[in-house]
Amino acid sequence: MKMEVGSSSSNFKLYDQFELLEFEDRLVFKSLESPDKGFSICRHESSSGKPSKTSTIYGVAGTIRLLAGTYVLVITSRKEVGSFLGFPVYRVESMKFLACNEALRFSNSQEKRDEAYFMSLLKTVEATPGLYYSYETDITVNLQRRCKLMEAWTSKPLWKQADPRFVWNNHLLEELIEYKLKSSPATFTLLSRRCTRRLGTRMWRRGANLEGDTANFIETEQLLELEGFRCSSLQIRGSIPLLWEQIVDLSYKPQLRIIQHEQTPQVVERHFNDLYQRYGETIAVDLTDKHGDEGQLSAAYAEEMQKLPNVRYVSFDFHHVCGSSNFANLQVLYDKISEEFEKQGYFLIDKDGKILEEQRGIIRSNCIDCLDRTNVTQSYLAQKTLDIQLQRLGVFTSNEYISMFPEDYVKFRTLWAEQGDEISLEYAGTHALKGDLVRYTWDLKSMDALDLVSGRYTVSKSNPSPFQLNSFESFSYLPVASALLIGGLTLTTFSLQQAARNAQHYVSSVVWAGVTAGAMALVKANGRQFCSRPRLCRLL
């Protein structure tokens, strides 16, 4: 049996009024309430223009597989006999099994005899008396139990609420329910919002300002829409909320420098107070290395966090634990925070807009750039949330996870990866690691542009030009330094070649080598001054 469902099929009910169109090659069920909803069952691969028979049915009671194929049981007649909790209740007056294929003609004689006997049994089923159902409420659960059930239970689809002990066609519905779950379309949306309070690019906007606003602060919302339900879960990322910088110089990886300031404790406190007012209790996940420059910054961060009793700080050395792309080791981090993370929950509303759940807290993640490590970690936590939501809505059982469905899992991971690329492109100017010169040149231009359009810098004729060179600027001294380096290396090389033929040239070789080394030391010591920097606003 091959079932095909229309684009709006996730909302149709198996117990509904349908117009049944019987074609030679297929059965078509069109909802009378919403003609654009319904489904079809393919009998065999061919095509026919007009249906051989059209009739009205009042529900699909299930399917059963026999030797020759599958049969679908439909309700052909009903009678309203009363109500339950204000909802109409109907009695089944007649039913009919319809063949979904024509495989019987390919069966042997014994199979045909067996199939004929099975069909006689189905005729008996069609005449079963005393079957009742409702389109709008569950009549298998008594009032007392219903009132004691949690609100979360009653928000589930009717077939999930039902007591299977009293569902006559429970077995017959299994295949239809399984297919309906697999075919129910869901909309998954990932939305990231960048804060404008400390806009800037990677090397020119680090850490926090005195107001507690951090660079690269982003709120990410993951939305799931399924059968009228809407789920929302939030995570945030942001630079380490200390006063620190990493100014571009001529080294491959500029050194991190913590700015010693008397207001540092207040800066950290202002940042997390703002988060608490907006999101509730916060878990701060620090993904930085625990050695080198990152280690010093992480240690300073941890020291300040000890002063905040209402924020939980979790240190997790991502590179150490998840090195060589062992991202499954993020389970170690999850085990540390799972209880609080699941307690924070997510936001959930039903199709009527009724709030069923609220998110009460937030995970704040950071590495140094709040890009690669942070994105991998957030996507891991988002996957955990998605599994919980799909289990809650009845799409997954308690033992099923999105990673068990390869096609959907790839889509999920791709969406998070593309989001990470977009965030990196805005903050660092590149999707992946490229030459520092390319990144820093983009950083510089974009930094001034952001300061201009965000209003951080105001153009005024009364202010001096920000583009005039100061006493020591890269544009004025870099050519001189470059000439000294290139000239010194050239003369040193030439004098060494001459020294092989004349010992007197050793002295000049030493002199020129000293000049070259001195020039290199001067350039290295003043690396920041030899690099262009934003001109419109101060970095802090």
Side-chain angles (χ1 to χ4, degrees), residues 204 247-251 440 444 472-475 478 526-535:
W204 304 110
I247 305 301
V248 175
D249 54 25
L250 297 179
S251 62
Y440 298 161
L444 175 65
F472 195 87
E473 289 277 357
S474 60
F475 289 116
L478 187 57
N526 297 277
R528 292 188 177 186
Q529 282 70 28
F530 283 108
C531 293
S532 299
R533 62 183 55 224
R535 295 177 176 275

Side-chain angles (χ1 to χ4, degrees), residues 313-361:
Y313 171 79
V314 178
S315 179
F316 182 78
D317 191 332
F318 185 96
H319 284 152
H320 176 71
V321 181
C322 302
S324 302
S325 299
N326 293 318
F327 300 145
N329 290 344
L330 280 168
Q331 183 66 39
V332 176
L333 170 63
Y334 187 75
D335 290 340
K336 291 182 178 181
I337 65 173
S338 59
E339 183 176 351
E340 293 167 276
F341 175 70
E342 294 174 10
K343 184 179 178 181
Q344 287 180 354
Y346 53 89
F347 185 74
L348 172 64
I349 58 175
D350 62 17
K351 58 185 177 181
D352 298 321
K354 184 179 181 181
I355 298 176
L356 305 178
E357 293 279 354
E358 290 189 61
Q359 183 168 344
R360 296 177 175 85

Side-chain angles (χ1 to χ4, degrees), residues 246 253-258 289 291-299 368:
Q246 190 179 22
K253 186 177 182 180
Q255 186 176 9
L256 302 175
R257 186 178 78 88
I258 301 174
D289 297 343
H291 59 273
D293 287 351
E294 286 194 21
Q296 295 178 17
L297 184 60
S298 178
I368 287 297

Side-chain angles (χ1 to χ4, degrees), residues 115-173:
E115 191 77 1
Y117 183 76
F118 286 132
M119 285 301 300
S120 67
L121 297 180
L122 294 185
K123 289 291 184 182
T124 303
V125 173
E126 291 177 352
T128 302
L131 300 179
Y132 299 84
Y133 69 96
S134 174
Y135 294 112
E136 300 171 84
T137 191
D138 174 24
I139 62 174
T140 68
V141 179
N142 61 65
L143 181 59
Q144 178 173 308
R145 185 182 176 205
R146 179 190 297 263
C147 292
K148 289 184 177 181
L149 289 174
M150 295 176 58
E151 186 178 40
W153 177 266
T154 58
S155 66
K156 293 182 178 181
L158 285 179
W159 64 269
K160 289 289 281 185
Q161 299 180 37
D163 187 334
R165 297 177 302 163
F166 307 124
V167 181
W168 170 82
N169 56 332
N170 188 53
H171 173 69
L172 300 178
L173 285 172

